[in-house]
Amino acid sequence: MYKRTKIIATLGPASSDAETISGLIQAGATVFRINFSHGEPEEHKERARLVREEAEKLSANVALLGDLQGPKIRIAGFRKGSAKLVEGAEFALDTKHPADEGDETVVGCSYQSLPADCQPGQTLLLDDGRLQLQIESIDDTRIHTKVIVGGVLYPKKGINLLGGGLSAPALTEKDLKDLDVATDMEIDYLAISFPRTAEDMHYARECAEKAGCKARLIAKIERAETVADDKTLDDIICASDAVMVARGDLGVEIGDAGLIGVQKKIIRRARQLNRSVITATQMMETMIENSIPTRAEVFDVANAVLDGTDAVMLSAETATGKHPITVVEAMSRIALGAEKQRSTQVSGHRMDRQFQETEDAIAMASMYAANHMPHVKAIICLTESGNTPLLMSRIRSGIPIFAMSEHQSTLNRMALFRGVIPRYYDISGNNRNTLLSDAVEQLKGNGFLSKGDIVLGTRGDQVGEGGMTNTLKIFEV
């Protein structure tokens, strides 16, 4: 049984050498995340180069995901390195306070619009919600608060407003500079942090196109506003090529109690709207230090797999953790275990819907036939853009989808799709009338298929043009 759920590994100091990257690919990672919040451009470029180099050695198709920092709103620094906030004490945030002169009574903040975005009675959350401040009053650039939940506060920790409402733009000046770096690296996916609306994603796409970046855009769902109503969420999903359930800041803003229901809803809606979806943040966090996961982490990963997520993402676990390869191996085992459940292999997706596009109808017909015919071993999809395999992968099935293309960018893109196995296939030297049978022979030669296997194949009459899939064939190897 092959693993259908994809694994995203974040690169960092613990995973910057060729041997480790090779080990991560062999352990099951198919997407590598480069976090622009940390590190320098040259470090990012070198890691990207190593990923491409090691993937080529292993004949593996992997994607590079660049994650822009976005408008993460943070406090400034402290004169003594940190400050202890005591419950019930007064504490202020001031946008004009000197950057490194904070103490137990006040700290600076570079986000100049913070006072305008807040109102008395609201709650500010610092350091991922570990400290909580109730706003008492606002005086020009200074926000006066009372400490509700205290603790030690360190420099550069994030600020969230309970319930959302901070108006920071989707892309900062740093993001625009990093976008140029991502373009040079030929990133396959670009994650946009803290978008509030579909307009933020449209703006990000305009900026990417202006920079010459051809990456697919991922909306990181991490603001309360994005999940406040169905229309806003659906609009953001439709404005993106994929979405990420970024549970860190999202959990802080909406509260942990509501997070699991929202996660399930985002996964469900993304699949219904034919978008890929990633589940992220603290999935195997204890494995930063430990060599085995907790039972809670096992259940967390498995539940995301059962819900139908395309990918599960590792952050510090592979970027700075002690066991980067071991954690990917553990996550692969968990995903495989969850995928054995019958619920992951049956689907009622779009059974009551009409189709406007031919490739949509072919994708649905293929998966319906595969799921209802006995002994079907594989689906072979010849593709230019990767769109037909994406549509197929929205339908739950235990049958592998071999998506075959001659375009490396398409193969990389499909490394994120659940249940899809990208394979290079050069159509230039093949007879157009025998493309599917020649593809079968290639897969047979690679050990994926055997004589007598029943397979389904799809292709388009207009070879070389995307969006033209119009043929479904069922045959025996």
Side-chain angles (χ1 to χ4, degrees), residues 295-476:
R295 289 289 182 269
E297 290 168 339
V298 171
F299 273 68
D300 183 29
V301 173
N303 271 314
V305 173
L306 292 171
D307 288 339
T309 192
D310 284 86
V312 283
M313 191 174 96
L314 296 163
S315 298
E317 298 96 329
T318 54
T320 60
K322 295 179 179 179
H323 316 282
I325 296 174
T326 302
V327 69
V328 173
E329 291 172 340
M331 187 172 261
S332 294
R333 289 195 300 271
I334 297 166
L336 279 167
E339 289 167 1
K340 291 178 181 178
Q341 299 302 310
R342 174 64 178 164
S343 62
T344 70
Q345 302 174 25
V346 295
S347 175
H349 178 68
R350 304 190 70 184
M351 292 296 291
D352 58 344
R353 298 280 298 278
Q354 292 185 327
F355 306 113
Q356 302 301 318
E357 303 293 337
T358 300
E359 66 174 341
D360 208 351
I362 292 293
M364 184 66 180
S366 301
M367 299 307 296
Y368 188 86
N371 284 343
H372 289 81
M373 287 182 65
H375 312 306
V376 172
K377 291 298 179 65
I379 299 164
I380 301 171
C381 179
L382 306 188
T383 182
E384 293 288 328
S385 67
N387 197 51
T388 301
L390 172 64
L391 295 171
M392 290 179 175
S393 68
R394 300 308 85 191
I395 301 167
R396 294 175 185 258
S397 175
I399 299 169
I401 302 166
F402 290 98
M404 307 187 70
S405 178
E406 63 180 349
H407 306 298
Q408 191 60 53
S409 60
T410 298
L411 296 170
N412 296 346
R413 178 196 178 196
M414 297 187 296
L416 182 62
F417 300 167
R418 179 175 174 133
V420 173
I421 303 173
R423 300 295 298 176
Y424 177 77
Y425 180 50
D426 184 3
I427 66 172
S428 60
N430 292 315
N431 186 318
R432 295 194 175 194
N433 295 322
T434 61
L435 282 175
L436 278 173
S437 57
D438 291 342
V440 168
E441 290 303 313
Q442 178 176 314
L443 292 174
K444 183 180 174 184
N446 292 334
F448 290 111
L449 297 174
S450 302
K451 183 178 180 180
D453 286 345
I454 302 299
V455 298
L456 281 71
T458 65
R459 53 159 290 183
D461 287 340
Q462 302 298 320
V463 177
E465 294 186 32
M468 302 298 290
T469 300
N470 63 358
T471 302
L472 166 62
K473 184 178 180 180
I474 305 172
F475 52 97
E476 180 179 324

Side-chain angles (χ1 to χ4, degrees), residues 11-26 32 46-47 49-55 57-58 325:
L11 296 175
S15 48
S16 293
D17 61 279
E19 183 179 356
T20 302
I21 290 172
S22 177
L24 292 171
I25 296 173
Q26 294 177 73
F32 287 86
E46 175 61 14
R47 288 166 183 160
R49 186 191 67 79
L50 285 174
V51 168
R52 296 291 191 220
E53 189 176 272
E54 294 307 310
K57 289 178 183 177
L58 296 168
I325 296 174

Side-chain angles (χ1 to χ4, degrees), residues 122-133:
Q122 291 182 314
T123 300
L124 287 173
L125 307 167
L126 308 183
D127 193 9
D128 290 336
R130 293 179 176 88
L131 292 87
Q132 299 183 15
L133 312 174

